Amino acid sequence: MAAPAMASGAGAAATLDAPSPLTLWYRQPATVWTEALAVGNGRLGGMVFGGVAKEQVQLNEDTLWSGGPYSPINPEAWDALAEVRALIAAGRYAEAEAMANARMMGKPVRQMSFQTLGDLWLEFPGLGAVHDYRRALDLDSAVATTRFQVGDSLHTREIFVSPVDQVLVVRLSATGTGRIDVDVGLTTPHAAEVRADAADLLAMRGSNGAEHGVDGALRFTCLVRALPTGGTVEGQGDRLKIRGAESVLLLLAAATSFRRYDDVSGDPDAITAGHILAAAPKPFGRLLDRHLASHRALFRRVTIDLGTSATASLPTDERVRDSGALNDPSLAALYHQFGRYLLICSSRPGTQPANLQGIWNDSLKPGWGSKYTININTEMNYWPAEPTALPELVDPLVALIRDLSETGARAAREMYRARGWMAHHNTDLWRATAPIDGAQYGLWPVGGAWLCLHLWDHYDYGRDIDFLASVYPLMKGAAVFFLDTLVEDAKGGFLMTSPSLSPENPHPHGASLVAGPAMDQQILRDLFDNCVKAAEILGLDPEFRGQCTATRARLAPDRIGRQGQLQEWMEDWDMQAPEIHHRHVSHLYAVYPSGQIDVFDTPELAAAARRSLEIRGDEATGWGIGWRLNLWARLGDAERAHHVLRMLLRPERTYPNLFDSHPPFQIDGNFGGTSGITEMLLRSRGNEIHLLPALPAAWPKGSVTGLRSRGTVRVDLSWSAGRLDHALLEARVAGRHRIRLGQQVTEIDLKPRKPVRVTRSGGKLAVAAL
């Protein structure tokens, strides 16, 4: 069903109160999707346009994807593997890639897409002339609000998605003599029926469709209940008509029949009816209070102040438009908190993980399927979670890894005749693990291994032994796969992955496929190291520990090339590669998110990594710039990091609603930006806590509270004139930590609930108990 056209603009600009530093606000309605404002509860998402005579809220439900349960493993893959490896070993890379494309790729060679649910439409007949318009999104309340005047009446529309009551809530109200007349409708591009089931209940029921030859297997239901105060409500065909109301409360629930990747037997009618019935007796104030309590329990853990300027009072779209020319440190702070807001709204315990667009997508065929790209993008989504005090939000990613350990065991067994489990460079709702898109992109075997870094990091930040015990089998299974599948390099005797590639970068020999690219070796060093540490902590598997240690010792080391760069491949090909400014910086994984290469412990390799970054260049896609920001911060270059951050905030890479522009929209750039700003202020590696490691001159005075370092340490920082005033550190678990500020280092023992204050005194760090 075609969606109605949107309303036109809203009239004169409003006389506005001073905006909050945590508010996105605008003088006019959104006219395109990337101007609309995002709300969500991890499972349900909405994009609020703020229209006047016609309001649109585009809807998503996190399990509404195309297709159904399927396994794309190519039965010819094992038979072709040995020959592909032999061709790579002989340097016949293009032939190897052609054979892999012909015989090893998934069937189908594309995965399923995350899809829009549809749209909620509110039409207001006879509204009259509008003035003093404003729409806003308050990150602290997670409420999108539209306000404007019609005559002597102030009209207010408030929208949020409750993580407690599992409904999207809309309240329409008017002061004075104003009354609410509104027609409520639902549309969807899926095969569906929309009808009024009762005078106050609108229902949309439908099914998903096939894609790439995989039949649709999901049913979905969306219900809207109208609860007006005063006036009348009547169901007419595919609309609810409300007339003469003092206010209107709308409750929207949505669900699909998805239960897990191999089970679509759920009852969306029962789920949605249950949510509506439970929420309807609660007044708006009660629904709002429950929503605020849940949201703020997460969001308010961190505060950040990087300074302000007169530009902070401008509308958000104007600040982004002029960000290249304006001094606007508070825009960076807003962007930092916006990333945390988006993660809260798109990834909560019990939901699907944040995908390429978080939870927001208005298409049946979004860019790259809006799926899980695990050669960087999915991981980047979760970079801010641990250091910005949102560890619970990693739960959906852990659940995805558990699923992949099941489907990936089949890929390991049938494609490689190996134990354990693995995943290539993408997955979807159905947890497909076969290589897709083309061998030059997809035949990369370490996607699952990279995901395991998040399992270790979640433990390392939180030090929960029970959690470590629960995920250790996943880490071990990923490592076992490589114990079975690494091949020996005939030249140096190193153990390497083959076939593989350096995502998604072609080398100068007419292909991407190689053996042992630098990133693979780096990821496997982390995987083997973390398995050994986990097994030691848990007192398990001495023989397996020995295998990991011995295998790790035979991985190829990082190498420095002729141009002083960190080599991307075993051979020194970097300067001859056809895409020397490629968006990926895969071989710098060892710098960030890993910490294998460090300016203090491995200065020569850190200098080589810096040279690689200089050669690659700062310009990239939105998420590519986000990764570069983290790398420059990790290398301690404050001014270069700030320069790259300003590139990320410019209108070419940030939409008016602050969504990251790849282009098109990809949310990983937002999360990479939040992570990078955090990395400029606090670095955590091993037992070292580095304070203000990359503080730029543009932020001479500021503060941040609630950040986390490894070992369960909360860190608050305050600085002025570009120098630390004090840091407050408090641990939940006892441990010894090295505190670094520039070249100054001290070691302290932190005890639970015994905070300490760190200051600079006489050129040294002084530590005092509080």
Side-chain angles (χ1 to χ4, degrees):
M1 182 183 298
M6 283 194 301
S8 60
T15 302
L16 300 169
D17 298 331
S20 158
L22 292 173
T23 298
L24 285 64
W25 74 276
Y26 306 84
R27 304 181 195 271
Q28 67 287 322
T31 57
V32 294
W33 191 81
T34 49
E35 295 173 354
L37 297 174
V39 293
N41 69 354
R43 192 179 68 82
L44 296 177
M47 294 291 288
V48 183
F49 281 68
V52 176
K54 184 178 292 184
E55 170 64 293
Q56 177 186 7
V57 182
Q58 186 267 317
L59 304 169
N60 288 101
E61 201 276 351
D62 71 344
T63 63
L64 184 51
W65 292 59
S66 61
Y70 73 110
S71 177
I73 304 299
N74 190 329
E76 297 183 54
W78 166 249
D79 291 335
L81 178 61
E83 190 167 354
V84 170
R85 283 174 169 166
L87 289 169
I88 289 172
R92 296 161 63 183
Y93 303 106
E95 293 175 63
E97 196 162 287
M99 176 169 286
N101 272 320
R103 300 180 60 191
M104 295 190 72
M105 301 309 294
K107 293 188 173 184
V109 77
R110 298 283 188 271
Q111 289 177 356
M112 301 302 105
S113 297
F114 177 55
Q115 299 185 317
T116 182
L117 171 62
D119 296 272
L120 170 69
W121 296 93
L122 308 177
E123 298 185 46
F124 300 87
L127 187 63
V130 167
H131 59 94
D132 288 351
Y133 175 95
R134 171 176 173 166
R135 67 184 174 102
L137 173 64
D138 181 359
L139 304 184
D140 182 55
S141 67
V143 177
T145 303
T146 303
R147 288 192 176 93
F148 52 84
Q149 292 281 145
V150 176
D152 65 352
S153 295
L154 174 64
H155 286 250
T156 303
R157 301 172 184 168
E158 299 155 280
I159 300 178
F160 62 88
V161 188
S162 171
V164 183
D165 291 295
Q166 289 296 312
V167 289
L168 182 143
V169 179
V170 181
R171 184 172 71 162
L172 313 172
S173 60
T175 63
T177 60
R179 290 293 182 268
I180 307 295
D181 293 343
V182 59
D183 296 341
V184 180
L186 291 166
T187 61
T188 181
H190 296 279
E193 178 187 19
V194 181
R195 71 181 188 195
D197 275 1
D200 62 353
L201 185 66
L202 187 65
M204 180 169 71
R205 296 181 178 89
S207 57
N208 72 335
E211 190 173 21
H212 308 307
V214 177
D215 290 338
L218 291 172
R219 295 172 291 112
F220 66 84
T221 300
C222 180
L223 299 179
V224 180
R225 178 87 179 271
L227 300 167
T229 299
T232 61
V233 57
E234 181 182 5
Q236 291 187 2
D238 61 357
R239 293 287 188 271
L240 299 180
K241 292 184 176 292
I242 300 164
R243 295 294 183 267
E246 298 172 19
S247 65
V248 177
L249 180 63
L250 301 175
L251 304 176
L252 182 146
T256 78
S257 57
F258 179 88
R259 297 185 66 184
R260 55 175 260 145
Y261 69 86
D262 56 359
D263 184 349
V264 293
S265 65
D267 186 345
D269 273 355
I271 295 169
T272 52
H275 291 153
I276 293 290
L277 287 171
K282 301 180 179 73
F284 175 79
R286 177 66 174 149
L287 293 168
L288 179 61
D289 286 346
R290 287 159 60 88
H291 161 75
L292 291 176
S294 177
H295 175 74
R296 287 174 171 166
L298 297 168
F299 186 78
R300 287 187 171 181
R301 290 175 182 171
V302 169
T303 68
I304 184 169
D305 178 3
L306 302 177
T308 191
S309 67
T311 58
S313 64
L314 295 174
T316 305
D317 52 340
E318 296 178 26
R319 295 170 74 182
V320 171
R321 182 194 65 199
D322 299 331
S323 61
L326 297 177
N327 174 31
D328 194 357
S330 59
L331 180 60
L334 179 65
Y335 194 87
H336 181 272
Q337 290 286 47
F338 185 61
R340 295 182 68 248
Y341 169 86
L342 292 177
L343 192 56
I344 293 168
C345 292
S346 62
S347 181
R348 278 180 172 257
T351 74
Q352 295 299 306
N355 60 49
L356 272 179
Q357 294 187 191
I359 195 177
W360 301 279
N361 161 45
D362 65 343
S363 173
L364 293 182
K365 293 188 176 182
W368 304 281
S370 190
K371 53 188 182 291
Y372 302 104
T373 301
I374 57 176
N375 66 9
I376 173 61
N377 311 97
T378 302
E379 291 87 351
M380 184 180 283
N381 283 1
Y382 287 89
W383 285 354
E386 305 292 350
T388 73
L390 299 172
E392 303 96 324
L393 307 189
V394 180
D395 284 7
L397 184 66
V398 175
L400 177 141
I401 298 170
R402 292 189 193 280
D403 288 347
L404 292 179
S405 74
E406 298 175 8
T407 59
R410 180 173 179 179
R413 182 174 62 253
E414 297 185 11
M415 288 189 65
Y416 298 94
R417 297 294 190 266
R419 299 171 298 158
W421 69 277
M422 61 84 65
H424 293 88
H425 94 301
N426 263 273
T427 190
D428 56 15
L429 181 73
W430 311 109
R431 306 311 190 234
T433 56
I436 65 161
D437 293 341
Q440 65 270 35
Y441 309 110
L443 197 54
W444 181 70
V446 294
W450 189 351
L451 287 173
C452 285
L453 178 63
H454 288 269
L455 302 178
W456 173 258
D457 284 350
H458 191 63
Y459 164 74
D460 204 21
Y461 275 88
R463 301 295 169 91
D464 181 340
I465 297 294
D466 290 339
F467 170 79
L468 184 63
S470 76
V471 299
Y472 171 69
L474 306 179
M475 298 168 61
K476 181 179 179 180
V480 164
F481 170 78
F482 292 100
L483 294 179
D484 286 359
T485 58
L486 293 177
V487 300
E488 185 172 294
D489 170 34
K491 296 179 182 178
F494 298 114
L495 294 177
M496 307 179 301
T497 51
S498 181
S500 190
L501 54 96
S502 188
E504 300 165 5
N505 198 11
H507 56 68
H509 295 278
S512 296
L513 288 193
V514 290
M519 185 190 219
D520 287 15
Q521 310 294 87
Q522 295 165 2
I523 289 175
L524 293 184
R525 284 199 287 271
D526 273 347
L527 178 63
F528 290 136
D529 284 348
N530 294 336
C531 279
V532 170
K533 288 185 286 189
E536 289 173 344
I537 292 167
L538 297 169
L540 298 173
D541 294 335
E543 182 179 352
F544 171 65
R545 282 184 244 164
Q547 292 174 328
C548 287
T549 300
T551 303
R552 189 228 192 269
R554 295 188 61 193
L555 297 173
D558 291 308
R559 299 178 176 184
I560 299 175
R562 291 186 299 273
Q563 296 297 317
Q565 89 285 2
L566 194 71
Q567 287 183 196
E568 187 161 359
W569 297 277
M570 291 281 286
E571 306 296 334
D572 191 358
W573 292 339
D574 298 61
M575 301 307 295
Q576 290 78 47
E579 297 182 36
I580 197 169
H581 304 302
H582 198 266
R583 60 195 176 276
H584 286 257
V585 280
S586 302
H587 55 309
L588 303 186
Y589 164 95
V591 179
Y592 189 93
S594 182
Q596 297 170 36
I597 294 177
D598 175 76
V599 294
F600 299 106
D601 296 342
T602 57
E604 290 186 4
L605 289 175
R610 180 186 179 94
R611 178 63 182 140
S612 288
L613 263 183
E614 291 170 344
I615 293 169
R616 195 71 111 209
D618 294 333
E619 186 61 78
T621 60
W623 66 262
I625 293 175
W627 196 355
R628 286 157 171 78
L629 167 62
N630 284 271
L631 288 164
W632 283 116
R634 180 60 62 91
L635 291 171
D637 193 326
E639 301 313 315
R640 190 67 171 264
H642 185 256
H643 167 74
V644 172
L645 174 61
R646 294 194 68 172
M647 292 176 64
L648 185 62
L649 294 175
R650 63 188 171 162
E652 292 84 0
R653 290 294 176 262
T654 294
Y655 289 112
N657 64 358
L658 293 192
F659 273 175
D660 169 71
S661 173
H662 179 285
F665 165 51
Q666 272 192 209
I667 204 167
D668 39 23
N670 289 104
F671 296 135
T674 296
S675 173
I677 294 167
T678 305
E679 190 73 22
M680 294 167 76
L681 302 176
L682 179 72
R683 180 184 169 210
S684 173
R685 173 177 172 265
N687 71 333
E688 182 170 287
I689 301 172
H690 193 167
L691 310 177
L692 302 179
L695 182 68
W699 304 340
K701 179 178 175 60
S703 64
V704 62
T705 67
L707 297 182
R708 295 170 81 229
S709 77
R710 296 171 188 271
T712 75
V713 182
R714 172 191 165 116
V715 181
D716 298 350
L717 298 166
S718 179
W719 66 92
S720 60
R723 294 169 60 87
L724 178 73
D725 291 330
H726 65 264
L728 301 179
L729 282 67
E730 183 176 7
R732 293 177 56 191
V733 174
R736 187 165 184 80
H737 297 269
R738 180 187 299 116
I739 310 303
R740 177 183 292 275
L741 181 67
Q743 297 298 320
Q744 302 169 40
V745 178
T746 189
E747 293 199 4
I748 60 174
D749 291 310
L750 293 176
K751 298 178 180 179
R753 296 178 297 279
K754 293 187 180 296
V756 301
R757 181 184 181 96
V758 178
T759 57
R760 187 197 302 263
S761 176
K764 297 182 178 180
L765 294 180
V767 180
L770 294 179

